[in-house]
Amino acid sequence: MIPPQEASARRREIEDKLKQEEETLSFIRDSLEKSDQLTKNMVSILSSFESRLMKLENSIIPVHKQTENLQRLQENVEKTLSCLDHVISYYHVASDTEKIIREGPTGRLEEYLGSMAKIQKAVEYFQDNSPDSPELNKVKLLFERGKESLESEFRSLMTRHSKVVSPVLILDLISGDDDLEAQEDVTLEHLPESVLQDVIRISRWLVEYGRNQDFMNVYYQIRSSQLDRSIKGLKEHFHKSSSSSGVPYSPAIPNKRKDTPTKKPVKRPGRDDMLDVETDAYIHCVSAFVKLAQSEYQLLADIIPEHHQKKTFDSLIQDALDGLMLEGENIVSAARKAIVRHDFSTVLTVFPILRHLKQTKPEFDQVLQGTAASTKNKLPGLITSMETIGAKALEDFADNIKNDPDKEYNMPKDGTVHELTSNAILFLQQLLDFQETAGAMLASQETSSSATSYSSEFSRRLLSTYICKVLGNLQLNLLSKSKVYEDPALSAIFLHNNYNYILKSLEKSELIQLVAVTQKTAERSYREHIEQQIQTYQRSWLKVTDYIAEKNLPVFQPGVKLRDKERQIIKERFKGFNDGLEELCKIQKAWAIPDTEQRDRIRQAQKTIVKETYGAFLQKFGSVPFTKNPEKYLKYGVEQVGDMIDRLFDTSA
């Protein structure tokens, strides 16, 4: 059992705890009530705030939308006003620009093109928006008038400022390539810079906005005329210079190949100086065409649209190129006629021209790049014509040398060098100036496959063969001609003179080297021929020396009186010698040996033979009493005979 005191104390303890719990519970209830009240108040406040927000939103949104609409309306009004201003401006374009268009672009191209741009835009506007309006017709007419004025201005600028290039400037331009000391290139200013810029602006406008190509025809016609006149002016310059001073201002034409002349060309027999002038003029005109055409293309490239440049250039150069080609064909035609009349010196005109055409061909080809095939083929066609006529001239010349008739009246009376020989050698010497050209002519006529791509060595061998052929034909003809002479001695002198002339001429020039390419022994052969003719000539003196030769003299004993028959024989020997000596000296004094060295050599050899024979004869019979009139038979001393022989081949003696 729990004691009563402990139970009472425990009950009081429990009651105290219960009281505390009740107090706590009461506090919690009060707090909950306060919290509920606060919650209710917050809900009420929030409900009120939400209501106010809804009211505000309902008020503001319509205002905002109205403001947006007003802003949009304002923008539309501004755009409409701007469009109206823009549209209205098109209606004023015609009146604003008419005065400028009417007065034209001269001197104010920039302003004029600005007006044309406005008109162009007005045309586009009315075409898109009001195609039936009278305003469209107005601006269209104004645009067309403006375009015509620009075309007219283009023509006017090109016509007024395109000048013929002076001959002196062209010649400076040509010589510039070869003048290694030239510090700066010679340049051509076809149009002043300001004019060029205006022309370029107009050209570009006409292409882009004018949809017009007629100005390109205007361009090439004007420039074509200037190019043609410039080249013709150069040709006239040569003729005037040659007629006034005899020597035109003529810088050297480029000679870049092996057939460059190393010696001053020999003057061609029978050649008219005007032919040389014509040749020089043509050669320079060909070079002028290349240089001027190059310059024309540079100018054209700035003015003409790229895809029209080649065609326009092709048209531009036609007149000048055709003129050159026609003149070239005329040269070929003249050469053909000259061949018919055997005027081969005139045919030589073709050689320097052909050489120059072939030298210039690479530049020609470069200039004509992009032109029509018919244009590109003109120069090769002319070159072929010249090679053909040149080869024919060479062949006909060789045949003419072979077949030149033996006309008695045409033979030199003194046995000197025949005109045929000198002309033949002169012709061959002139070929030295054009070795590659002549060799190529001959090679061009070869049908063998090797000739299609012939080398310089191949053409050199052909030329050597040709020269040997001419010399062979000449030798045969000379042999034939020599038979015209009745006197074998004169015939021998004639052949000697001609052979000697040929040999000396070959040795003095490069001909001997050319001949040696195919005939190594030619020089030795000519020397043998010359010696053979000298021996033939010397035999003419046998009829003189035979009278006094030891083998034909009578034998007699010294101191024994001569018989009548022996005296008569000695008289006949003296008389025969004297008469023969006088006759030969008289005849042969009129003969000629132009080569001094050969003349002296032949005289000396003959003098030695005759003097020795006559000296021996005189020593044996000069003091023999075979006649009562010794002065009649002892007419000449040994030295006197030598002096007489020294006067042979000398008409002045």
Side-chain angles (χ1 to χ4, degrees):
M1 288 286 294
I2 299 172
Q5 294 89 351
E6 287 183 9
S8 178
R10 184 134 180 152
R11 190 171 56 245
R12 282 195 299 272
E13 184 180 345
I14 292 168
E15 285 176 352
D16 287 341
K17 284 184 180 181
L18 182 62
K19 187 177 181 180
Q20 287 176 356
E21 290 293 334
E22 285 176 349
E23 287 175 354
T24 301
L25 181 63
S26 177
F27 175 77
I28 289 171
R29 282 195 186 105
D30 289 342
S31 295
L32 282 171
E33 285 176 0
K34 286 180 181 179
S35 176
D36 286 344
Q37 187 61 44
L38 287 171
T39 299
K40 286 177 182 178
N41 290 340
M42 181 61 70
V43 168
S44 176
I45 290 169
L46 287 172
S47 296
S48 175
F49 184 70
E50 183 181 8
S51 175
R52 288 180 181 181
L53 277 176
M54 287 180 68
K55 287 179 181 179
L56 181 63
E57 184 178 341
N58 291 334
S59 299
I60 291 299
I61 286 175
V63 172
H64 177 70
K65 286 183 178 178
Q66 189 176 7
T67 302
E68 278 186 342
N69 289 336
L70 286 172
Q71 286 178 338
R72 194 177 295 112
L73 285 171
Q74 185 179 359
E75 288 174 0
N76 288 341
V77 167
E78 288 176 355
K79 285 181 180 178
T80 302
L81 289 173
S82 176
C83 286
L84 283 172
D85 288 342
H86 185 64
V87 169
I88 290 168
S89 72
Y90 289 134
Y91 285 86
H92 292 293
V93 164
S95 58
D96 290 346
T97 59
E98 187 173 9
K99 184 173 183 292
I100 295 173
I101 299 304
R102 185 175 62 250
E103 291 175 353
T106 304
R108 51 172 180 179
L109 181 61
E110 203 64 39
E111 181 186 5
Y112 193 88
L113 291 177
S115 296
M116 288 299 291
K118 292 177 183 177
I119 297 169
Q120 171 75 7
K121 288 178 181 176
V123 170
E124 291 170 356
Y125 170 78
F126 288 120
Q127 281 177 335
D128 292 341
N129 298 283
S130 185
D132 297 326
S133 68
E135 291 299 326
L136 176 59
N137 291 332
K138 274 187 184 178
V139 289
K140 264 189 172 181
L141 287 171
L142 201 56
F143 183 81
E144 288 302 317
R145 190 189 307 167
K147 186 170 76 169
E148 288 172 5
S149 292
L150 284 170
E151 292 170 1
S152 178
E153 179 71 0
F154 183 89
R155 180 188 292 273
S156 175
L157 288 172
M158 290 300 303
T159 303
R160 282 187 287 120
H161 296 283
S162 290
K163 306 295 183 186
V164 172
V165 184
S166 73
V168 172
L169 186 56
I170 294 175
L171 290 168
D172 286 340
L173 189 68
I174 294 170
S175 63
D177 282 352
D178 287 336
D179 189 359
L180 299 178
E181 298 177 1
Q183 296 300 310
E184 56 185 40
D185 293 333
V186 179
T187 55
L188 297 178
E189 185 185 68
H190 293 293
L191 298 172
E193 184 59 30
S194 60
V195 174
L196 176 61
Q197 293 307 317
D198 283 353
V199 168
I200 291 171
R201 289 294 309 280
I202 295 173
S203 163
R204 289 176 181 171
W205 188 94
L206 289 172
V207 171
E208 188 173 354
Y209 302 108
R211 305 290 189 270
N212 178 287
Q213 296 183 9
D214 291 345
F215 77 94
M216 299 181 202
N217 295 334
V218 170
Y219 178 86
Y220 91 68
Q221 287 165 4
I222 292 171
R223 294 307 308 169
S224 174
S225 173
Q226 300 304 329
L227 175 61
D228 194 38
R229 288 168 60 195
S230 296
I231 293 174
K232 286 177 178 174
L234 178 63
K235 184 178 179 182
E236 289 171 10
H237 170 77
F238 270 83
H239 291 161
K240 288 177 183 176
S241 298
S242 63
S243 60
S244 59
S245 65
V247 182
Y249 167 57
S250 173
I253 286 292
N255 282 316
K256 302 170 185 173
R257 295 170 64 164
K258 291 180 182 177
D259 52 2
T260 303
T262 54
K263 304 179 182 65
K264 185 177 179 180
V266 184
K267 181 64 184 172
R268 300 170 190 170
R271 275 298 301 274
D272 188 339
D273 285 343
M274 281 309 296
L275 275 176
D276 293 325
V277 172
E278 289 285 349
T279 301
D280 287 343
Y282 186 73
I283 285 173
H284 282 80
C285 285
V286 168
S287 290
F289 172 82
V290 171
K291 292 296 180 187
L292 292 176
Q294 287 172 342
S295 183
E296 286 293 342
Y297 195 85
Q298 291 169 358
L299 177 66
L300 175 144
D302 290 332
I303 298 171
I304 304 298
E306 186 175 357
H307 56 289
H308 291 286
Q309 288 174 4
K310 297 293 186 183
K311 183 179 178 183
T312 304
F313 180 69
D314 199 340
S315 301
L316 190 157
I317 61 173
Q318 284 303 314
D319 284 352
L321 181 58
D322 285 345
L324 282 178
M325 295 303 107
L326 178 61
E327 195 171 342
E329 290 297 341
N330 288 340
I331 290 168
V332 171
S333 179
R336 190 174 290 111
K337 292 174 183 176
I339 291 172
V340 171
R341 62 177 185 269
H342 295 162
D343 180 10
F344 295 101
S345 60
T346 299
V347 179
L348 284 169
T349 303
V350 171
F351 285 71
I353 292 174
L354 176 58
R355 178 179 65 188
H356 186 65
L357 289 180
K358 293 176 83 170
Q359 288 172 352
T360 314
K361 187 177 181 296
E363 286 183 277
F364 244 98
D365 292 344
Q366 189 175 11
V367 168
L368 300 183
Q369 267 185 333
T371 58
S374 57
T375 303
K376 291 177 183 173
N377 291 335
K378 286 180 180 178
L379 180 65
L382 179 58
I383 287 175
T384 299
S385 294
M386 287 198 168
E387 280 195 326
T388 302
I389 200 66
K392 177 169 175 53
L394 292 175
E395 195 61 36
D396 282 23
F397 178 78
D399 290 342
N400 187 61
I401 293 297
K402 181 179 181 180
N403 301 318
D404 184 67
D406 303 325
K407 295 177 181 176
E408 191 171 342
Y409 64 84
N410 199 34
M411 293 296 290
K413 304 298 182 187
D414 58 1
T416 191
V417 177
H418 197 281
E419 184 182 15
L420 181 70
T421 303
S422 57
N423 285 348
I425 293 298
L426 189 56
F427 185 88
L428 295 179
Q429 285 174 335
Q430 287 168 5
L431 288 186
L432 286 175
D433 294 340
F434 312 101
Q435 290 182 41
E436 285 202 10
T437 304
M441 282 178 177
L442 296 167
S444 70
Q445 304 305 301
E446 289 290 308
T447 55
S448 63
S449 58
S450 61
T452 57
S453 57
Y454 53 85
S455 64
S456 58
E457 183 58 32
F458 176 75
S459 60
R460 184 174 169 82
R461 288 189 67 82
L462 282 179
L463 184 58
S464 174
T465 302
Y466 171 77
I467 292 172
C468 291
K469 177 182 178 181
V470 171
L471 293 175
N473 288 353
L474 177 60
Q475 190 171 334
L476 288 172
N477 200 322
L478 290 172
L479 276 170
S480 178
K481 289 183 186 303
S482 69
K483 295 172 183 174
V484 170
Y485 295 111
E486 294 180 1
D487 190 334
L490 181 54
S491 178
I493 290 296
F494 171 77
L495 289 175
H496 162 272
N497 284 334
N498 283 271
Y499 291 157
N500 185 64
Y501 178 84
I502 293 169
L503 178 60
K504 290 291 175 68
S505 299
L506 293 178
E507 289 175 335
K508 284 178 184 176
S509 65
E510 294 176 30
L511 281 172
I512 195 68
Q513 287 95 329
L514 261 178
V515 168
V517 171
T518 53
Q519 283 196 11
K520 305 290 186 188
T521 61
E523 189 174 358
R524 187 180 70 195
S525 177
Y526 273 110
R527 294 194 188 284
E528 290 173 355
H529 287 318
I530 291 167
E531 290 305 316
Q532 184 181 351
Q533 298 310 318
I534 291 175
Q535 291 172 15
T536 301
Y537 162 74
Q538 288 176 339
R539 284 198 289 272
S540 69
W541 281 85
L542 287 177
K543 61 183 179 182
V544 176
T545 55
D546 273 357
Y547 280 106
I548 56 174
E550 181 72 31
K551 61 181 180 179
N552 295 326
L553 295 178
V555 179
F556 59 90
Q557 297 297 325
V560 177
K561 186 179 180 181
L562 295 172
R563 298 194 297 272
D564 290 343
K565 184 178 180 182
E566 289 172 336
R567 285 197 299 272
Q568 187 60 34
I569 290 173
I570 295 171
K571 288 178 183 178
E572 288 173 358
R573 296 292 184 270
F574 269 107
K575 186 177 187 307
F577 173 79
N578 293 337
D579 291 347
L581 176 67
E582 291 167 359
E583 181 186 3
L584 282 187
C585 286
K586 180 181 178 182
I587 293 171
Q588 295 184 8
K589 189 176 82 166
W591 295 355
I593 299 180
D595 187 324
T596 306
E597 184 182 338
Q598 284 293 94
R599 183 169 64 235
D600 291 344
R601 178 188 163 209
I602 291 172
R603 280 173 177 168
Q604 187 59 45
Q606 202 56 55
K607 187 166 66 172
T608 300
I609 295 170
V610 175
K611 282 176 68 177
E612 284 181 358
T613 308
Y614 186 57
F617 179 73
L618 270 185
Q619 187 176 6
K620 190 168 186 179
F621 296 102
S623 56
V624 173
F626 64 91
T627 178
K628 295 179 181 179
N629 302 306
E631 68 280 355
K632 180 180 177 182
Y633 298 100
L634 299 174
K635 293 173 69 174
Y636 305 107
V638 174
E639 292 306 319
Q640 195 175 1
V641 168
D643 291 343
M644 291 172 71
I645 294 174
D646 275 336
R647 289 193 291 272
L648 297 178
F649 317 116
D650 186 0
T651 54
S652 63

